[in-house]
Amino acid sequence: REMIGYTNNIKDNDEYTYNHSVNVAVYSLFIGSLLDLNKEELRELCQAALLHDLGKSNIPNEILNKKGKLTKEEFELVKKHPLDGYKLSKEMPFLSEKVRYGILCHHEREDGSGYPYGIKGEEINLYAKIIAIGDVYDALTSERVYKEKSTPFEAIEEFYNMGFEKFDTNILNLFLKNIVQLYVNSKVELSNGRVGKIKFIHPNKITQPVVKIDGDYLKLWEDNYLKIEEIVG
Ligand SMILES: [Fe+2]
């Protein structure tokens, strides 16, 4: 019950951050169940995910929804939100310290390239590692004022390009290979304009599924120029 009040505060502040937080909670719970976390851990993970961007309430909306690139000063301000969120979460006695660390460390990266502390690997709290993946995945697959949304298949390429080693690779692998399976039987539009249905996803070629078009099965991995442009249904 207490959680609803706090998440509603996020909603009043910025609608995108609220929707994003709910999405990240759904992805985090998906990962948590793939990792066989127990009920209590899933509850804590959900709290941390819903509140992970709590500290963004201190950032002006013009910066949060800015179209162009952030200036150095603006980015420094944005980088304060994990610590601000942690401080705000201290005022919520029903949260455990593990949950607060999940909020504090969700922008830390496995290789030490994250913020606020640049800690790495096992120094990063498990909830934060999970939320980091859900956070980036939702950002990639959502439309923003400054960018179009990516398909789940493009998002996998983007994780690879930005450096999959920034994330816990075991958790990232587990998440990506399971999330794409949810798109089997989805209707998709290919880059040549044709529409078909995803029929099979090869575990070793998860970005290039088999698509059925007018009775033909097209193996996308046989044509590197053809890709899924959009999920249409
Ligand atoms: Fe964040």
Side-chain angles (χ1 to χ4, degrees), residues 17 20 51-56 59 78 81-82 103 106-107 109 115 131 135:
T17 303
H20 168 68
L51 297 172
H52 78 281
D53 273 344
L54 184 68
K56 281 197 174 165
I59 307 173
V78 169
H81 81 274
I103 297 170
H106 76 274
H107 284 285
R109 295 293 178 256
Y115 59 86
I131 292 168
D135 184 16

Coordinates of all heavy atoms in Angstrom, one line a residue, residues 17 20 51-56 59 78 81-82 103 106-107 109 115 131 135, ligand 1:
T17 N 8.7 8.4 -16.9 CA 9.5 7.7 -15.8 C 8.6 6.7 -15.1 O 9.0 5.6 -14.8 CB 10.1 8.7 -14.8 OG1 10.9 9.6 -15.5 CG2 10.9 8.0 -13.7
H20 N 8.0 3.7 -17.5 CA 9.3 3.1 -17.6 C 9.5 2.2 -16.3 O 10.0 1.1 -16.4 CB 10.4 4.1 -17.8 CG 11.8 3.6 -17.6 ND1 12.4 2.7 -18.5 CD2 12.7 3.8 -16.6 CE1 13.6 2.4 -18.0 NE2 13.8 3.1 -16.9
L51 N 11.0 1.7 -7.8 CA 11.5 2.9 -7.3 C 12.9 3.3 -7.8 O 13.5 4.2 -7.4 CB 11.6 2.8 -5.7 CG 10.3 2.6 -5.0 CD1 10.5 2.3 -3.5 CD2 9.4 3.8 -5.1
H52 N 13.4 2.5 -8.8 CA 14.8 2.7 -9.2 C 15.1 4.2 -9.6 O 16.2 4.7 -9.4 CB 15.3 1.7 -10.2 CG 14.9 2.0 -11.6 ND1 13.6 1.7 -12.1 CD2 15.5 2.5 -12.7 CE1 13.5 2.0 -13.4 NE2 14.6 2.5 -13.8
D53 N 14.2 4.8 -10.3 CA 14.4 6.2 -10.8 C 13.8 7.3 -9.9 O 13.6 8.4 -10.3 CB 14.0 6.4 -12.2 CG 15.0 5.9 -13.2 OD1 16.2 5.8 -12.8 OD2 14.7 5.7 -14.4
L54 N 13.5 6.9 -8.6 CA 12.9 7.8 -7.7 C 13.6 9.1 -7.6 O 13.0 10.2 -7.5 CB 13.0 7.1 -6.3 CG 12.3 7.8 -5.1 CD1 10.8 7.8 -5.3 CD2 12.7 7.0 -3.8
G55 N 15.0 9.1 -7.7 CA 15.8 10.3 -7.5 C 15.7 11.2 -8.7 O 16.2 12.4 -8.7
K56 N 15.0 10.8 -9.8 CA 14.8 11.7 -10.9 C 13.8 12.8 -10.6 O 13.7 13.8 -11.4 CB 14.3 10.9 -12.2 CG 15.4 10.1 -12.8 CD 15.0 9.7 -14.2 CE 16.3 9.1 -14.9 NZ 15.9 8.3 -16.1
I59 N 15.4 16.1 -10.9 CA 15.9 16.6 -12.2 C 14.7 17.3 -12.9 O 13.6 16.8 -13.1 CB 16.3 15.4 -13.1 CG1 17.4 14.6 -12.3 CG2 17.0 15.9 -14.4 CD1 17.8 13.3 -13.1
V78 N 22.0 14.5 -14.0 CA 21.3 13.3 -14.2 C 22.0 12.1 -13.4 O 21.3 11.3 -12.8 CB 21.2 12.9 -15.7 CG1 20.8 11.4 -15.9 CG2 20.3 13.9 -16.4
H81 N 20.9 11.0 -9.8 CA 19.6 10.4 -9.4 C 19.7 9.0 -8.6 O 18.9 8.8 -7.7 CB 18.6 10.3 -10.6 CG 18.8 9.2 -11.5 ND1 19.7 9.2 -12.5 CD2 18.3 7.9 -11.5 CE1 19.6 8.1 -13.2 NE2 18.8 7.3 -12.6
P82 N 20.8 8.2 -8.8 CA 20.8 7.0 -8.0 C 21.0 7.3 -6.5 O 20.3 6.7 -5.7 CB 21.9 6.2 -8.6 CG 22.1 6.7 -10.0 CD 21.8 8.1 -9.9
I103 N 18.5 0.3 -5.8 CA 18.2 1.7 -6.4 C 19.5 2.4 -6.6 O 19.8 3.0 -7.6 CB 17.3 2.5 -5.4 CG1 15.9 1.8 -5.2 CG2 17.2 4.0 -5.8 CD1 15.1 2.4 -4.1
H106 N 21.8 0.9 -9.7 CA 21.3 0.4 -11.0 C 22.0 1.0 -12.2 O 21.8 0.5 -13.3 CB 19.8 0.7 -11.1 CG 19.3 2.1 -11.3 ND1 19.1 3.0 -10.3 CD2 19.0 2.7 -12.5 CE1 18.7 4.1 -10.8 NE2 18.6 4.0 -12.1
H107 N 22.9 2.0 -12.1 CA 23.7 2.5 -13.2 C 25.1 2.1 -13.1 O 26.0 2.5 -13.9 CB 23.6 4.0 -13.3 CG 22.3 4.5 -14.0 ND1 22.0 4.3 -15.3 CD2 21.2 5.0 -13.4 CE1 20.8 4.8 -15.6 NE2 20.2 5.2 -14.4
R109 N 28.1 -0.6 -13.7 CA 28.3 -1.6 -14.7 C 29.4 -2.6 -14.3 O 30.3 -2.2 -13.6 CB 28.7 -0.9 -16.1 CG 27.6 0.0 -16.6 CD 26.3 -0.8 -17.1 NE 25.2 0.0 -17.6 CZ 24.1 0.3 -16.9 NH1 23.9 -0.2 -15.7 NH2 23.1 1.0 -17.4
Y115 N 28.1 4.5 -12.8 CA 28.1 5.6 -11.8 C 27.1 5.2 -10.7 O 26.2 4.3 -11.0 CB 27.8 6.9 -12.4 CG 26.5 7.1 -13.1 CD1 25.3 7.4 -12.5 CD2 26.4 6.9 -14.5 CE1 24.1 7.6 -13.1 CE2 25.2 7.1 -15.2 CZ 24.1 7.4 -14.5 OH 22.9 7.6 -15.2
I131 N 18.0 -5.0 -12.5 CA 17.3 -3.8 -12.9 C 18.1 -3.1 -14.1 O 17.5 -2.6 -15.0 CB 17.2 -2.8 -11.7 CG1 16.2 -3.5 -10.7 CG2 16.7 -1.5 -12.1 CD1 16.2 -2.8 -9.4
D135 N 16.2 -2.0 -17.3 CA 16.3 -0.6 -17.6 C 16.7 -0.3 -19.0 O 16.0 0.4 -19.8 CB 17.2 0.1 -16.5 CG 17.3 1.6 -16.6 OD1 16.4 2.2 -17.2 OD2 18.2 2.1 -16.0
Ligands
FE1 FE 18.1 5.4 -13.7

